[in-house]
Amino acid sequence: MPRGLQLVFIAIALVVIGVLLFYIWRQSRILSEHRLRQRKTEEFQARRRQEMVESIRLVAMAVEAKQVEYSEACLRLKGLLEHVEPELLEDPKYRVFQQVHDKISHMPTHRARLNTDSETLRKLDEERFAVEEEHADEIREAAALIRHHPFN
């Protein structure tokens, strides 16, 4: 094989090697950036979950100390548990949060309450207080249990 042809093949091989090295380097960077984003996402989700667990415990303590209305506590606990461990809402010990939520979820809250006439609000509040009274013991027991629940 002529010497010139050998040099051409060597040059082509070096160009191919260079292109492959560039491709490998680029893929490596993309992979490391993906891993970094994934790790940050997992850390964020873990931190968010821990904050929700702390919120569950705080609401449960507020129930035990009678610092919050039971209906509001059930709404909050149901929402938090849906994100943290939704299967607990099916557990008989904690099902009361779902039951109370279902009974009062049609009632207006926040701004919607401001736009509702006082007579309707009075009737809805009576209904809400009746639900709270009906489930008060269950709510207190469930709050005490959920406060000490070992969230995984």
Side-chain angles (χ1 to χ4, degrees):
M1 184 182 293
R3 179 118 171 107
L5 191 55
Q6 287 177 346
L7 291 175
V8 169
F9 284 144
I10 290 172
I12 291 172
L14 289 174
V15 168
V16 169
I17 290 171
V19 168
L20 288 174
L21 284 174
F22 175 76
Y23 177 76
I24 291 169
W25 172 77
R26 196 175 109 233
Q27 289 301 103
S28 171
R29 279 193 50 208
I30 290 171
L31 184 59
S32 66
E33 288 172 3
H34 173 73
R35 285 182 183 147
L36 178 64
R37 278 194 308 273
Q38 186 175 5
R39 185 173 49 85
K40 285 183 178 181
T41 299
E42 289 169 358
E43 288 172 358
F44 173 78
Q45 289 172 342
R47 201 169 45 249
R48 178 128 167 86
R49 186 178 191 286
Q50 187 57 40
E51 289 170 357
M52 284 191 267
V53 167
E54 289 173 20
S55 292
I56 289 170
R57 291 200 169 107
L58 285 172
V59 172
M61 285 191 307
V63 168
E64 289 179 294
K66 298 179 181 176
Q67 295 175 339
V68 65
E69 291 181 353
Y70 290 164
S71 56
E72 181 179 349
C74 288
L75 292 174
R76 290 176 186 271
L77 288 169
K78 189 257 185 194
L80 289 164
L81 286 171
E82 276 184 335
H83 293 287
V84 175
E85 282 188 40
E87 61 277 2
L88 287 179
L89 292 170
E90 300 301 319
D91 187 323
K93 296 181 287 193
Y94 309 115
R95 192 175 297 144
V96 68
F97 302 137
Q98 180 72 50
Q99 291 170 338
V100 172
H101 174 274
D102 292 345
K103 289 181 180 180
I104 65 171
S105 62
H106 67 281
M107 297 180 183
T109 60
H110 305 95
R111 288 189 183 155
R113 249 182 104 77
L114 298 175
N115 298 329
T116 306
D117 69 277
S118 59
E119 181 60 26
T120 303
L121 283 179
R122 188 186 60 72
K123 288 179 183 176
L124 290 173
D125 285 343
E126 287 174 6
E127 180 184 344
R128 183 170 53 88
F129 294 143
V131 170
E132 285 181 5
E133 188 174 326
E134 175 187 349
H135 295 285
D137 293 336
E138 288 177 87
I139 293 168
R140 280 192 301 272
E141 288 173 24
L145 289 172
I146 200 77
R147 191 174 130 219
H148 300 290
H149 181 77
F151 291 97
N152 300 332

